[in-house]
Amino acid sequence: MAVHWNKTCKMNIDLANEIKDGLSSSPKTLPSKYFYDEKGSALFSAIMQLPEYYLTNAELEIFTSKSKILIENLNLKKENYFELIELGAGDGYKTIEFLKALTQEAFNFSYSPIDISYQALKQIEQTVLKVLPDIKLQLQQGDYFKTLQELKKSSQPKIVMFLGSNLGNMQDEIAHNFLKQLSFNLSIKDKLILGIDLKKNADIITPAYNDSQGITRDFNLNLLVRINKELEANFNIEQFEHTPSYDEKEGIAISSILSKSKQSVYIKAINQTFYFDKDEKIFTEISRKYDDYILQKICKNTGFHIIHKTTDKKSYFADYILEKKE
Ligand code: AVI
């Protein structure tokens, strides 16, 4: 991805503009895509290991025990080559289980993980090649939103993977547009394996976003630490609190940061002071939970149709197969 830096002071201009817009809006917001600096990525890796954050293990269980079922439902022919493309591949652990199953059954494919982080890609390369030294691997660094157009460059059949309930961090309308754009860049019969978290009781979801060790708190507040560092701001982190909530009716976990007092913060890179009331919230992320009805609604008029659904034993998480039909 092209990150725009101001050459004289090495400032990330996109970050500065989006932070300015977010803190100028009412209610205040900060974009969740900026969680993932080096510290934030390390914190997210730690979140994925937490007992409360059931999502990762639930999806790993699906790929460990049900990859064959997914493969059957993809209707692949062994003699036909295809490209397997993963958007936002992360650490790739779940995918390796799927790659192993495809290789065992002698399918003819290449694997292209796309991730914004070069480090993450190098890590995937190492892990995958250790287990599957003969795999055809092609790393692609970039923002997957921006690399969608690249898909059209090859006319080979494609299977795209978008796992980890990353779709859930988009508002429904944005998720719909994202699927539409993805489908537009694919061909008829291409497929999407979409991993999403399912609606369930608040008692299970709430701790996943408010763990007992406070790692999710640090992950959320790290956004302010990042703004302090990269935009020379003076957020007093002690004066802000991680305040997650779960709207059970809508099925949306909402992360926010609450200002503990009436205070002001100066951001030097923007040359602006922002004012916070006591108990005012800055919204940082939504994590949407789905059911078949919600997913169907989001898929409507995108060209994608749901053709299969596989869940973990507890039915906490699902991997759907969507096919491009129109
Ligand atoms: C990356 N994404 C799917 C995570 C989620 O569950 O929404 C991000 C996260 N935020 C707090 N904990 C994890």
Side-chain angles (χ1 to χ4, degrees):
M1 185 190 64
V3 177
H4 300 106
W5 297 93
N6 177 322
K7 286 198 185 95
T8 42
C9 68
K10 265 196 149 205
M11 179 181 80
N12 181 339
I13 300 209
D14 294 339
L15 173 76
N17 286 338
E18 290 186 56
I19 298 307
K20 182 178 176 171
D21 289 350
L23 292 182
S24 307
S25 66
S26 177
K28 291 185 174 64
T29 59
L30 287 172
S32 61
K33 69 174 178 190
Y34 290 118
F35 279 144
Y36 304 93
D37 64 353
E38 210 179 320
K39 178 86 193 295
S41 301
L43 286 167
F44 184 58
S45 295
I47 287 175
M48 290 195 291
Q49 312 287 328
L50 288 169
E52 292 101 328
Y53 196 73
Y54 60 85
L55 289 81
T56 311
N57 276 338
E59 194 170 33
L60 182 61
E61 183 202 306
I62 294 175
F63 280 99
T64 312
S65 63
K66 294 186 170 166
S67 276
K68 280 198 169 169
I69 298 176
L70 284 168
I71 292 170
E72 270 164 33
N73 285 282
L74 285 167
N75 296 318
L76 300 164
K77 294 217 169 55
K78 293 205 173 151
E79 60 279 15
N80 292 349
Y81 171 81
F82 66 90
E83 291 174 0
L84 182 68
I85 297 148
E86 183 167 11
L87 307 178
D91 61 18
Y93 278 114
K94 292 168 273 192
T95 317
I96 286 178
E97 297 304 319
F98 190 62
L99 298 175
K100 281 200 284 194
L102 284 168
T103 309
Q104 268 160 19
E105 295 192 30
F107 280 99
N108 181 11
F109 69 102
S110 63
Y111 171 54
S112 290
I114 304 179
D115 205 284
I116 190 118
S117 152
Y118 178 74
Q119 254 172 322
L121 288 171
K122 281 307 213 191
Q123 182 65 50
I124 294 175
E125 182 179 41
Q126 227 184 25
T127 331
V128 171
L129 290 179
K130 210 160 142 193
V131 186
L132 302 164
D134 297 324
I135 197 165
K136 293 182 201 106
L137 187 66
Q138 209 185 356
L139 310 177
Q140 273 192 68
Q141 192 190 2
D143 176 333
Y144 50 74
F145 270 100
K146 295 184 180 155
T147 46
L148 290 184
Q149 297 100 300
E150 304 277 311
L151 295 174
K152 269 225 151 124
K153 287 189 180 158
S154 134
S155 57
Q156 300 290 353
K158 291 181 188 62
I159 295 178
V160 177
M161 300 177 90
F162 192 42
L163 309 183
S165 211
N166 282 318
L167 190 79
N169 297 135
M170 301 177 202
Q171 303 277 1
D172 289 353
E173 198 190 332
I174 296 175
H176 168 85
N177 290 336
F178 173 75
L179 291 180
K180 200 167 169 173
Q181 202 189 332
L182 173 59
S183 154
F184 177 75
N185 287 291
L186 294 175
S187 305
I188 302 289
K189 288 201 175 162
D190 285 346
K191 315 263 188 321
L192 169 65
I193 303 177
L194 180 66
I196 48 181
D197 197 20
L198 299 175
K199 269 188 169 179
K200 62 186 83 63
N201 201 292
D203 297 350
I204 300 161
I205 293 180
T206 308
Y209 294 90
N210 199 15
D211 65 276
S212 56
Q213 295 172 48
I215 296 179
T216 313
R217 176 200 60 216
D218 293 350
F219 175 70
N220 197 15
L221 292 175
N222 182 53
L223 255 177
L224 306 185
V225 178
R226 182 173 182 185
I227 298 169
N228 277 352
K229 248 191 321 207
E230 291 187 33
L231 302 180
E232 294 183 71
N234 63 355
F235 278 102
N236 177 356
I237 311 299
E238 301 294 310
Q239 283 304 311
F240 290 89
E241 196 181 319
H242 168 60
T243 43
S245 61
Y246 179 54
D247 180 337
E248 197 165 5
K249 193 169 148 270
E250 287 292 328
I252 298 180
I254 302 161
S255 293
S256 56
I257 295 172
L258 179 131
S259 170
K260 290 192 203 169
S261 57
K262 191 173 163 69
Q263 56 185 316
S264 63
V265 172
Y266 177 64
I267 305 184
K268 191 175 172 200
I270 305 172
N271 189 22
Q272 195 169 329
T273 302
F274 295 91
Y275 298 90
F276 298 84
D277 281 333
K278 183 176 182 319
D279 295 332
E280 183 177 356
K281 281 183 174 176
I282 313 168
F283 291 91
T284 53
E285 183 182 55
I286 61 150
S287 301
R288 137 84 69 215
K289 309 301 164 192
Y290 298 84
D291 55 27
D292 294 352
Y293 173 73
I294 297 169
L295 183 61
Q296 248 146 17
K297 227 169 106 183
I298 290 173
C299 284
K300 208 169 167 207
N301 299 327
T302 61
F304 278 125
H305 291 252
I306 300 170
I307 60 165
H308 178 74
K309 175 187 181 185
T310 299
T311 70
D312 61 304
K313 272 194 231 114
K314 290 181 177 157
S315 288
Y316 280 1
F317 199 94
D319 279 279
Y320 285 83
I321 298 178
L322 312 186
E323 181 173 304
K324 178 177 162 86
K325 294 204 176 182
E326 311 134 33

